[in-house]
Amino acid sequence: DTSANGSNGSARANAEMLDKALDRVDLDKLRRMTQTGIHFLDNVIDATTYFFVENERQQKTERRVGLGVMGLAELLVKIGVPYGSRIALAVVDAVFETIRNAAIDESVELARIKGPFPRFNADKFLESEFTRNLPERLRERIRNHGIRNVTLLTVAPTGTTGTMMATSTGIEPFFMFQFERRGRLGSHLVNEAVVTDYCHEMGLPTTTTELPHQF
C-alpha cells in the first residue's frame, strides 16, 4: 500500500513497498507486512462483535479473511516501469507471488499455534486448482499443520481509500492525473500526488504534459 496525507496534490505520495535507494520493490518488507496483515485480520475475527449467532458460527468455522492491495500503479511509476508493459507483468508476478506465499506461510504458522479452521480437510483443501499450483514446500506445510483461514487474499477496488491516501486504487492504472471529485461536501479538483511529486523534483509546473514513459 501507499500513503500520504490528503489527495489535493500538495501531499507527498510515498510508495511504502519501494526500496528508494535502489528504485525497486522491497520484497522483504512486503513479505513482513503481508504476514503482519494476515495475523491482524485473523485476530479481528475473534475480536468482532457478531449480531447474529449464525454469522459468528459461519465465520469462525471458516475464518475467511481478505488481505488486499493498494497503490500498485504508483509503485510501478516510482520504479520507472509503464503499467501493462512486459517488465511490469514480471514485477507484478514477483509482487503477488511474494504476497501469496507470505500469506499462506503466516496462516499455516497460526494454524500450527492455534489450530486450523474447524472445517479444514487436508485432502480436499490441497486438491483445488489454486493449491495444486503452490510450491511443494507450502503444500507440505499445509498438509502437516493445516491452515488457519480458508481464504486469505482479495483484490478490492479501494476507490475512496486510495483517493484519501493520495495513491492509485487497487491494482488499477491511473486513468487521469487530474480530475474533479464530487462528494457530500461538494466538488474539488484532485491532482495525483505521484505527478506533483515528480514535477516538484524536476522543477516543472504541475500542469505539465511532459511526463516520462512510466506515467
Side-chain angles (χ1 to χ4, degrees):
D1 285 6
T2 60
S3 61
N5 296 317
S7 58
N8 60 2
S10 61
R12 299 288 291 179
N14 182 18
E16 291 293 341
M17 298 305 153
L18 173 69
D19 184 331
K20 296 177 183 178
L22 299 176
D23 280 337
R24 69 183 185 189
V25 184
D26 189 338
L27 293 179
D28 287 335
K29 183 177 182 180
L30 179 60
R31 185 178 299 107
R32 295 194 304 272
M33 292 300 100
T34 299
Q35 291 172 326
T36 299
I38 292 297
H39 198 145
F40 171 85
L41 289 172
D42 185 70
N43 285 344
V44 168
I45 294 171
D46 297 315
T48 295
T49 298
Y50 297 89
F51 294 99
F52 299 100
V53 66
E54 294 86 357
N55 294 138
E56 182 174 11
R57 184 185 306 118
Q58 178 69 27
Q59 175 62 313
K60 289 186 176 179
T61 55
E62 295 184 339
R63 307 191 67 85
R64 292 178 178 271
V65 300
L67 184 70
V69 296
M70 186 168 67
L72 177 66
E74 182 194 332
L75 181 64
L76 292 174
V77 168
K78 291 290 183 71
I79 63 174
V81 176
Y83 188 100
S85 66
R86 187 177 303 174
I87 297 176
L89 294 178
V91 171
V92 170
D93 278 346
V95 164
F96 281 92
E97 182 178 34
T98 299
I99 292 172
R100 179 199 66 186
N101 292 354
I104 292 173
D105 258 331
E106 183 64 19
S107 188
V108 171
E109 184 63 17
L110 290 172
R112 188 184 68 82
I113 298 170
K114 300 180 179 182
F117 67 91
R119 291 184 180 177
F120 174 74
N121 178 295
D123 291 333
K124 290 183 178 180
F125 191 85
L126 290 170
E127 72 183 12
S128 73
E129 184 177 357
F130 178 80
T131 54
R132 284 202 304 267
N133 290 320
L134 292 176
E136 190 56 37
R137 175 187 69 83
L138 290 177
R139 287 176 55 81
E140 191 63 24
R141 289 203 73 206
I142 293 170
R143 185 172 294 282
N144 290 339
H145 304 294
I147 194 165
R148 182 71 169 167
N149 316 94
V150 68
T151 61
L152 291 166
L153 305 173
T154 191
V155 178
T158 68
T160 299
T161 50
T163 303
M164 288 174 60
M165 302 302 286
T167 189
S168 56
T169 62
I171 60 170
E172 297 176 338
F174 289 105
F175 293 103
M176 291 183 290
F177 292 114
Q178 185 181 77
F179 58 93
E180 182 182 6
R181 183 169 178 84
R182 299 177 183 177
R184 285 175 292 180
L185 300 180
S187 301
H188 66 281
L189 191 64
V190 175
N191 294 294
E192 293 289 6
V194 68
V195 173
T196 56
D197 282 356
Y198 171 79
C199 290
H200 289 318
E201 291 169 5
M202 302 302 293
L204 298 171
T206 56
T207 55
T208 185
T209 59
E210 300 176 7
L211 295 173
H213 71 294
Q214 66 262 34
F215 285 90

